[in-house]
Amino acid sequence: MAKSNRLADEGFARFKTYLREQRLKSTAQRDAIVEIFLKGAGHVSVEELYGAVRKQNPRIGYATVYRTMKLLTECGLADERHFRNGEARYEIAEKDHHDHLICERCGKIVEFEEDRIEALQEETARRLGFELRGHKMELYGVCLDCRRRGREN
Ligand SMILES: [Zn+2]
Ligand SMILES: [Zn+2]
């Protein structure tokens, strides 16, 4: 709890600095979008973020949300992800490395970190002569809730 607040505060400060460097003005609308994004659960699409933002301020337009997420990505605060041809989804870039499990039925995204998989990837890359700089691991399947629901029907 305290940790995520600190991340949000630091993120916010960094965004402000970035705007200044780019000679862009800081607006109340941009601030509201960034705040909602930084406090959210992550893996959010522009569409979903737009929905959340509109509840607080109905005057904020879709294009403003879209552009703000581009700015957040440029300044390294947000990571843009495309899960299996889906629309872009954004998460806070400052978090520790993690991989994703994605439910093909309900779209739920679960984060995980597995040391053995991490080590094996390093090892595989090294064996093939690569110095590993990063990776994206996405596992697709059906989550427990959806499997339970399937059994009930
Ligand atoms: Zn599911
Ligand atoms: Zn994630």
Side-chain angles (χ1 to χ4, degrees), residues 7-17 31-32 34-35 38 77:
L7 270 181
D9 289 347
E10 285 173 7
F12 210 68
R14 213 161 101 199
F15 182 64
K16 294 279 189 189
T17 306
D31 288 357
V34 172
E35 200 180 328
L38 290 175
L77 262 181

Side-chain angles (χ1 to χ4, degrees), residues 59-151:
R59 282 179 310 176
I60 297 180
Y62 183 89
T64 307
V65 178
Y66 178 83
R67 266 184 271 122
T68 302
M69 288 320 296
K70 288 286 166 208
L71 286 172
L72 279 176
T73 307
E74 281 165 28
C75 77
L77 262 181
D79 266 344
E80 183 178 326
R81 296 184 175 272
H82 293 265
F83 297 115
R84 206 179 254 182
N85 307 324
E87 59 189 336
R89 290 189 170 272
Y90 297 88
E91 65 179 343
I92 298 171
E94 285 302 278
K95 291 207 291 186
D96 294 335
H97 170 74
H98 60 271
D99 293 312
H100 297 98
L101 265 161
I102 299 112
C103 176
E104 290 177 315
R105 286 209 193 136
C106 68
K108 183 193 295 167
I109 298 166
V110 175
E111 300 183 338
F112 71 92
E113 217 209 313
E114 172 54 64
D115 290 343
R116 285 174 298 170
I117 293 176
E118 298 292 321
L120 204 52
Q121 287 176 132
E122 282 284 351
E123 215 179 290
T124 305
R126 218 177 308 126
R127 179 160 44 83
L128 296 172
F130 274 72
E131 181 195 298
L132 205 59
R133 294 271 173 84
H135 71 263
K136 280 180 185 171
M137 162 82 73
E138 293 168 13
L139 303 178
Y140 293 87
V142 182
C143 75
L144 188 60
D145 289 341
C146 286
R147 282 167 52 221
R148 280 199 184 122
R149 225 169 285 136
R151 236 173 281 143

